Amino acid sequence: MFTVSERDRLRRDLVNAADTDPRVVGAALTGSAAVGREDRWSDIDFALSVDREIDAVVADWTALMYACGAVSHLDVRRGAVLFRVFLMRSTLQVDIAFWPSTEFGATGPTFRLLFGDANEIPQPAQPDRAELIGLAWLHGLHARSSIERGRCWQALYMINNMRDHVMSLRCLNEGVNAVQGRGLDDLHDAGEFAGTLVLSTRPDELRRAFHVLTGLLLTEISDSALAEAVRALSPGAAVQR
């Protein structure tokens, strides 16, 4: 398990490496460290602005991370930006974002420029409410059919996904961050969702959790023409508020 001092030392080394790499023209801290909210479990989030040879920069920095103790990595792409996420031997997570310099900038409030210039770029929006509703009832349909077919593990998967979308809807409705569960602990009463947790793969338990979850979905879409159809997914589902 990594220590705070190990994490801080590695971050300093990465900042120094960026400052001495002539291909890197800007760098920023992102995540909790950028806004002074780091805790014992925080990872390292680091963004680089690269003006040339970006593939070579990625390769060189990947080699550097493995030399520092990385054991694996995964890639997430957003347009021209590569987010390479490293798992260190100490279990520390290090996220390094490689940005073309023409696109480098803050995508949210957790961005602190260390050197170079940042562009003004559009901020990401909250999830689309209609899409969340659609994904919730779609997973609900498949949860119901999976239960009735005796496909209990598939039903569990569908219920869990349905819950994610319903909770995101609750975040939207209460005006907190609905992205990746970041606002869930800021909800007025997230405890209402405790009853949607499936305690076993027995069909009666799956039905129970599904009924509760359907009721919670109905509270979020009570103004929608879909409400009646959603109510039919789970006969007897009670609104939990």
Side-chain angles (χ1 to χ4, degrees), residues 149-168:
R149 289 167 175 160
R151 300 184 64 83
C152 296
W153 287 103
Q154 185 178 9
L156 176 63
Y157 177 88
M158 294 298 173
I159 291 170
N160 288 342
N161 277 274
M162 182 182 176
R163 182 192 310 109
D164 290 345
H165 301 310
V166 178
M167 293 190 85
S168 293

Side-chain angles (χ1 to χ4, degrees), residues 15 103 127 139-140 164-165 175-176 186 189 202 205 215-217 227:
V15 172
E103 300 184 27
H139 281 94
D164 290 345
H165 301 310
V176 301
D186 301 318
D189 187 10
R202 291 169 43 196
E205 170 60 12
L216 289 169
L217 174 58

Side-chain angles (χ1 to χ4, degrees), residues 18 31 34 47 51 65 71 74 93 98 101-102 110 116-117 120 122 126 139 143-145 177 179 195 197 201 212:
D51 72 341
M65 290 304 300
V71 295
L74 66 90
Q93 175 185 332
F98 299 89
S101 58
T102 55
T110 56
D117 297 317
E120 292 289 337
Q126 291 269 63
H139 281 94
R144 181 184 65 178
S145 61
N177 194 337
V179 177
L197 298 176
T201 56
V212 176

Side-chain angles (χ1 to χ4, degrees), residues 195-210:
T196 70
L197 298 176
V198 181
L199 305 180
S200 77
T201 56
R202 291 169 43 196
D204 59 342
E205 170 60 12
L206 290 163
R207 289 190 182 94
R208 182 204 61 76
F210 180 50

Side-chain angles (χ1 to χ4, degrees), residues 19-156:
D19 194 38
T20 58
D21 189 332
R23 302 163 300 181
V24 175
V25 296
L29 294 181
T30 58
S32 57
V35 290
R37 292 206 304 262
E38 218 172 17
D39 63 19
R40 170 70 181 84
W41 302 99
S42 297
D43 52 24
I44 293 176
D45 298 288
F46 195 40
L48 302 178
S49 173
V50 183
D51 72 341
R52 57 190 171 89
E53 304 174 33
I54 192 165
D55 290 340
V57 171
V58 171
D60 291 347
W61 277 73
T62 299
L64 171 64
M65 290 304 300
Y66 277 91
C68 290
V71 295
S72 186
H73 71 267
L74 66 90
D75 289 344
V76 178
R77 290 190 179 273
R78 294 291 183 270
V81 183
L82 171 65
F83 297 86
R84 182 155 284 184
V85 183
F86 295 91
L87 173 65
M88 309 304 287
R89 186 171 292 108
S90 64
T91 72
L92 175 64
Q93 175 185 332
V94 181
D95 300 355
I96 301 180
F98 299 89
W99 289 75
S101 58
T102 55
E103 300 184 27
F104 180 69
T107 59
T110 56
F111 180 94
R112 177 156 62 90
L113 187 66
L114 299 176
F115 66 85
D117 297 317
N119 301 290
E120 292 289 337
I121 58 178
Q123 300 299 295
Q126 291 269 63
D128 180 72
R129 184 173 187 270
E131 182 176 354
L132 288 175
I133 292 172
L135 288 169
W137 64 251
L138 182 62
H139 281 94
L141 283 174
H142 288 284
R144 181 184 65 178
S145 61
S146 296
I147 293 170
E148 298 310 318
R149 289 167 175 160
R151 300 184 64 83
C152 296
W153 287 103
Q154 185 178 9
L156 176 63

